[in-house]
Amino acid sequence: MHSHKRIVLVTGANKGIGLETARQLAQAGHTVLLGARDHHKGAAAAAKLKAEGLHVEAITIDVDDAASVARAVAHVSEHHGKLDSLINNAGVLLEPLGAATLNTSLDVWRKTFETNLFSLVAVTLAFLPLIRKSDAGRIVNLASILASLTLHSDPTSFIYNFKTAAYDTSKTAVNAFTVHLAHELKDTPIKVNSAHPGWVKTDLGGDGAPMELEDGAKTSVALATLPDDGPTGAFLHLGAPLPW
Ligand SMILES: NC(=O)c1ccc[n+]([C@@H]2O[C@H](COP(=O)([O-])OP(=O)(O)OC[C@H]3O[C@@H](n4cnc5c(N)ncnc54)[C@H](OP(=O)(O)O)[C@@H]3O)[C@@H](O)[C@H]2O)c1
């Protein structure tokens, strides 16, 4: 188990699951870089954790903006020289819940894939040289149970009638990226996994979600601090595999 202090970057950490993930990792003594696309929101979130006696470093990173990502990479390189864990948490759900697949505009499809897939790939590739400098690199991709084609095509599954086409499909693609990147890096110490956090009470998950933030961050925290004999190329929720 890598109990030593890790340098961890969480994207989209100014609120929701990302902020709670940053909180729990800081509580465990890791050096947390709290990513936010809006500098002020990032500073406010970091101040909130500071008021709880925790220390995190706010870092501005808009995952959709290549220049912003490059500045974040340069900052981490200059100040830390490596990155132990990258948590690709930033994500968007642009469709109303219950949206009909055929009513989803191409604009929504494109914007959803831009942030949830292409930017996730871009951020990962940009930070990979720094992650390779870690002796136990971990990459955590926030997918969703809504990524599961097995469950979506099973009429007895509880997500069967819960379809947000662009979001779900972007997360299925995230899972495919996890599998491909894990294969590419299989002969390195780096582990790449997809997380389903749970259906969590956040702006994205909505008030009807059953899971509290504290539990919703646990899967990301566990995958960011996996021991050397932990899985890679897996799709997990609270330690248990989910069907692809
Ligand atoms: N909540 C759930 O039930 C649930 C279930 C399955 C998976 N997930 C996944 O878990 C992750 C976190 O979700 P959440 O529920 O915590 O959502 P949330 O409360 O809406 O937070 C999303 C975060 O992503 C950030 N973000 C969006 N676009 C960004 C960009 N271009 N660059 C940087 N940051 C960006 C947001 O920043 P702003 O504040 O600036 O908008 C915010 O900090 C997402 O990937 C989501 O798909 C959530």
Side-chain angles (χ1 to χ4, degrees):
M1 178 70 173
H2 286 272
S3 55
H4 64 272
K5 211 174 146 188
R6 300 177 67 79
I7 298 163
V8 184
L9 169 61
V10 189
T11 65
N14 52 285
K15 66 176 185 178
I17 296 166
L19 176 57
E20 179 61 21
T21 302
R23 175 183 280 118
Q24 292 183 17
L25 287 164
Q27 284 169 342
H30 300 291
T31 298
V32 178
L33 313 180
L34 185 156
R37 60 176 153 184
D38 180 304
H39 167 76
H40 299 289
K41 285 186 191 170
K48 196 185 290 182
L49 295 188
K50 194 174 177 194
E52 298 171 15
L54 298 170
H55 175 73
V56 301
E57 185 188 319
I59 179 169
T60 305
I61 176 167
D62 180 340
V63 300
D64 292 341
D65 177 350
S68 170
V69 173
R71 279 193 296 273
V73 171
H75 178 90
V76 177
S77 178
E78 187 184 337
H79 294 274
H80 302 284
K82 66 164 183 172
L83 185 64
D84 294 306
S85 304
L86 169 65
I87 305 183
N88 283 314
N89 171 82
V92 291
L93 168 60
L94 301 175
E95 302 145 278
L97 297 181
T101 297
L102 294 177
N103 286 346
T104 303
S105 70
L106 260 185
D107 188 45
V108 164
W109 277 96
R110 288 201 171 101
K111 283 188 173 139
T112 303
F113 266 71
E114 190 63 39
T115 301
N116 290 2
L117 180 69
F118 302 135
S119 295
L120 182 148
V121 172
V123 169
T124 304
L125 297 185
F127 276 100
L128 200 53
L130 286 174
I131 300 170
R132 285 188 191 274
K133 292 190 176 166
S134 167
D135 60 2
R138 304 288 180 256
I139 298 170
V140 183
N141 296 327
L142 270 284
S144 167
I145 199 167
L146 296 175
S148 173
L149 298 180
T150 304
L151 295 178
H152 267 307
S153 49
D154 174 1
T156 66
S157 156
F158 74 98
I159 69 161
Y160 183 69
N161 288 314
F162 202 105
K163 289 186 163 48
T164 38
Y167 177 82
D168 301 355
T169 312
S170 73
K171 295 296 190 178
T172 308
V174 166
N175 273 349
F177 177 59
T178 293
V179 169
H180 284 70
L181 187 64
H183 175 266
E184 185 92 357
L185 297 174
K186 66 182 165 44
D187 297 324
T188 77
I190 303 172
K191 296 184 185 301
V192 188
N193 290 292
S194 277
H196 168 54
W199 182 15
V200 187
K201 282 186 186 62
T202 64
D203 289 346
L204 188 152
D207 291 338
M211 190 177 266
E212 300 297 333
L213 274 174
E214 194 181 340
D215 286 331
K218 284 183 177 163
T219 301
S220 293
V221 169
L223 294 179
T225 56
L226 274 178
D228 288 343
D229 62 354
T232 188
F235 177 29
L236 296 158
H237 171 61
L238 294 175
L242 289 177
W244 297 109

